[in-house]
Amino acid sequence: MNRVRPLAPLQAPRVVVIGAGMGGLTAAALLARQGLDVQLLERAEAPGGKMRPVELGALRLDGGPTVLTMRWVFEELFQRLGTTLDQHVHLHRSEVLARHAWSASERLDLYADLEQSIDAISRFSSPAEASRYRAFCQRAAQVFHTLDPSFIRASRPSPVSLTWRVMRQQGLAGLSQLLRISPFTSLWRELGRFFHDPRLHQLFGRYATYCGSSPFEAPATLMLVAHVEREAVWQVEGGMARLAQALAHCGQQQGVRLRCNAEVHRLMVRDGRICGVQLADGEQLAADAVVFNGDARALTEGLLGPAAPQGLCHGSPSLSALTWHAEATTGGLDLSHHNVFFGPATGYRAEFDAIAAGRLPESPTVYVCAQDRSGQAHRRRPGLVAGQRLPERLMCLVNAPADAPGRGLTAEEIARCEQQMWGRLRAAGLQVSLSSPPLQTRPLDFAQRFPASQGALYGPASRGWRASFHARPAGRTPLPGLFLAGGSVHPGPGVPMAALSGRLAADQLIEDLASTWRSHPVVMPGGMSMR
């Protein structure tokens, strides 16, 4: 375990982290670990951001992310904090990645085991399609391994710097790999080279929605999401909020001072550098650096005052969602933890055309998280005791447009979409009997919870090859001392990506302090104090 050399008698640099989502929790914990004086401010009543649970009476359900991927991100994070991931959360690996249904007779499970998935696709579609799936998995793995060290784990590159990084790390072979990852074509078009069955084309196109984007506009590089999921999907015992709570606890053990119900009103600047924040109640907190873990659009829209940088890039908002959290008994189709219910493959483009036009789709794809189900292939279903069905916790989700100013969804539109959603489940053979009316969350609710997001759940949408370089701001801003973290900045949305953004922000902040506080002892990564 690295030890941090104390900074006394001089005061440690003061850092304020705004927002206790995954990016903010990560940055705060890592900075405190290096001996900095860290205050973490959260406007809500508890940390977690989009990982905060939904309460339905006495029940608690995941309200945002439902599973964990890229476990190595958190193993490395907790190791840097002097502990281990397994000491704080219990994870269970899913054998079944997701259960898919188009009708009562068209169902397909994908597995963590490649050969099981190949066999399932062969029986569902054809041996030739299964062979093409194997080739797709190889391609998705290639895309991931090319971009992992040079893009995902690194600061936001330009096209030139990305090429240089890949060549430096992988040589001329890396340059060849970079040219083969199809950055200039859409995911949908590239998938057409692998899948001839329109249902499989539709299934793997849906991976773009994991980043809040349309498969018809997203770059083909997003096929790496399929590789990340097949590598391993983990369920967090007790729900995803446990991970946020564990990281908040670790941060506090490192010295982070967490304040909830503390809303930041504006950033304070002196002599061209950030010097603190002012809370909504007028309290001012001095700081030598600030990490903002919120939607970057909040800065350019002036929600944190006129001193916030205005030149940050961010593209158009990503997808939002309508969600329904409920307790219900189910029958017919046997649910797994992850379940996706598709409409006809021939109408898939119409779903995204409607969302792009600000409307709810008439034939939506429905995601159902059965939170009490495991992702194991051969485990007795928890909904049966002595032959009797018991209620279980469900979250149903339909992609929806972000809540554009002046154009919200009407109650009639939402009610019609809910009817279509239940109809889609019935058509696939799933019987649902609700214990009570479900708790509904609209894009407007997300917009109010996360300022300036417009209800978009994934920051800016990924549209075209330029999205990788220009849709999301970098962690370091033009305002000295201000850094960004979260799903709206590089490297992108999702729990592990947000954590990586927090790690990048913390490392860049330490580097900045080392260069600007030359007359002060500043703790550097690894626990070494520089004078």
Side-chain angles (χ1 to χ4, degrees):
M1 181 182 301
N2 291 324
R3 293 188 175 275
V4 177
R5 186 185 300 178
L7 298 180
L10 297 177
Q11 182 181 14
R14 299 158 298 182
V15 178
V16 167
V17 180
I18 306 171
M22 183 52 60
L25 288 167
T26 299
L30 290 174
L31 291 169
R33 174 70 175 171
Q34 298 303 321
L36 277 65
D37 179 355
V38 181
Q39 287 198 70
L40 175 56
L41 308 178
E42 170 56 49
R43 70 192 295 263
E45 68 283 351
K50 295 183 178 72
M51 295 174 67
R52 291 199 303 272
V54 168
E55 295 186 356
L56 189 66
L59 301 177
R60 290 166 64 89
L61 294 84
D62 285 329
T66 53
V67 291
L68 184 70
T69 58
M70 298 172 67
R71 174 177 175 155
W72 55 266
V73 171
F74 299 94
E75 289 179 332
E76 290 179 2
L77 171 59
F78 279 84
Q79 184 178 32
R80 285 184 62 169
L81 295 174
T83 182
T84 65
L85 176 64
D86 290 338
Q87 285 183 291
H88 298 275
V89 294
H90 299 290
L91 303 179
H92 305 283
R93 184 169 182 167
S94 296
E95 295 175 7
V96 178
L97 301 181
R99 183 155 292 163
H100 308 86
W102 288 260
S103 69
S105 60
E106 297 174 287
R107 299 173 183 173
L108 173 66
D109 284 0
L110 288 182
Y111 299 89
D113 181 81
L114 176 62
E115 298 305 322
Q116 278 188 279
S117 290
I118 288 172
D119 180 62
I121 290 173
S122 180
R123 288 182 281 108
F124 172 77
S125 182
S126 70
E129 202 73 353
S131 178
R132 286 189 283 268
Y133 170 71
R134 186 189 296 275
F136 167 73
C137 290
Q138 293 171 347
R139 183 66 171 280
Q142 173 207 332
V143 172
F144 176 79
H145 291 302
T146 299
L147 295 180
D148 177 31
S150 57
F151 183 86
I152 295 174
R153 301 193 198 212
S155 59
R156 193 193 73 179
S158 67
V160 173
S161 64
L162 176 61
T163 302
W164 168 247
R165 288 176 186 176
V166 171
M167 289 187 65
R168 184 178 60 186
Q169 294 161 355
Q170 304 177 39
L172 291 176
L175 179 59
S176 175
Q177 297 286 355
L178 186 62
L179 294 174
R180 292 182 58 201
I181 65 175
S182 305
F184 304 113
T185 189
S186 71
L187 177 63
W188 187 258
R189 183 175 179 180
E190 189 68 9
L191 289 173
R193 298 181 60 246
F194 292 96
F195 301 108
H196 296 177
D197 187 326
R199 298 168 299 178
L200 294 176
H201 198 168
Q202 181 184 27
L203 187 160
F204 290 101
R206 186 181 173 275
Y207 281 101
T209 67
Y210 288 21
C211 299
S213 303
S214 162
F216 301 96
E217 296 182 325
T221 48
L222 284 189
M223 69 174 67
L224 65 84
V225 178
H227 171 74
V228 165
E229 185 173 83
R230 197 184 62 76
E231 221 177 23
V233 168
W234 302 89
Q235 292 174 239
V236 180
E237 189 175 300
M240 287 293 290
R242 288 287 180 89
L243 180 61
Q245 293 163 1
L247 188 51
H249 176 69
C250 281
Q252 289 174 308
Q253 287 186 316
Q254 304 296 332
V256 173
R257 286 169 288 139
L258 172 62
R259 292 179 57 179
C260 294
N261 299 303
E263 183 172 1
V264 174
H265 179 64
R266 70 181 182 94
L267 305 177
M268 300 190 302
V269 175
R270 182 175 59 243
D271 298 330
R273 182 182 177 86
I274 199 158
C275 65
V277 301
Q278 180 179 314
L279 304 187
D281 63 5
E283 180 184 0
Q284 294 186 353
L285 302 175
D288 302 302
V290 171
V291 177
F292 177 66
N293 178 62
D295 198 295
R297 194 180 297 268
L299 298 173
T300 56
E301 291 188 1
L303 297 189
L304 274 77
Q310 300 299 302
L312 301 178
C313 61
H314 46 68
S316 56
S318 69
L319 299 177
S320 187
L322 278 171
T323 66
W324 295 267
H325 289 80
E327 182 185 48
T329 54
T330 65
L333 184 148
D334 192 19
L335 294 170
S336 185
H337 186 77
H338 258 334
N339 308 271
V340 185
F341 297 83
F342 289 105
T346 53
Y348 199 44
R349 183 183 288 270
E351 180 175 343
F352 294 94
D353 288 344
I355 293 174
R359 305 190 310 271
L360 290 170
E362 294 183 3
S363 182
T365 300
V366 181
Y367 166 71
V368 176
C369 175
Q371 191 163 327
D372 295 310
R373 306 291 184 118
S374 76
Q376 305 309 304
H378 305 290
R379 181 173 293 182
R380 186 169 179 264
R381 54 177 293 187
L384 283 177
V385 174
Q388 299 296 314
R389 287 188 294 170
L390 294 177
E392 57 183 310
R393 297 171 295 169
L394 301 180
M395 180 185 78
C396 302
L397 180 148
V398 169
N399 289 129
D403 190 71
R407 171 64 178 93
L409 299 173
T410 67
E412 292 76 13
E413 290 175 294
I414 293 174
R416 183 167 59 250
C417 183
E418 182 173 357
Q419 292 177 348
Q420 293 163 341
M421 184 264 295
W422 296 125
R424 167 75 65 240
L425 302 186
R426 286 194 299 270
L430 179 65
Q431 303 156 11
V432 179
S433 178
L434 297 172
S435 303
S436 59
L439 178 64
Q440 182 186 92
T441 306
R442 308 160 296 165
L444 177 61
D445 299 317
F446 290 119
Q448 293 172 342
R449 192 176 301 165
F450 306 108
S453 70
Q454 299 181 17
L457 296 179
Y458 310 89
S462 296
R463 293 179 174 172
W465 71 272
R466 291 171 57 87
S468 300
F469 308 104
H470 303 290
R472 300 179 187 278
R476 182 181 275 111
T477 74
L479 177 60
L482 177 64
F483 300 84
L484 306 181
S488 71
V489 304
H490 177 81
V495 177
M497 298 298 228
L500 286 173
S501 76
R503 189 169 80 179
L504 286 168
D507 290 345
Q508 290 170 336
L509 190 155
I510 290 288
E511 180 183 352
D512 180 71
L513 288 178
S515 63
T516 58
W517 284 59
R518 297 189 184 280
S519 60
H520 297 259
V522 177
V523 179
M524 296 297 291
M528 295 185 63
S529 178
M530 304 293 290
R531 287 188 180 272

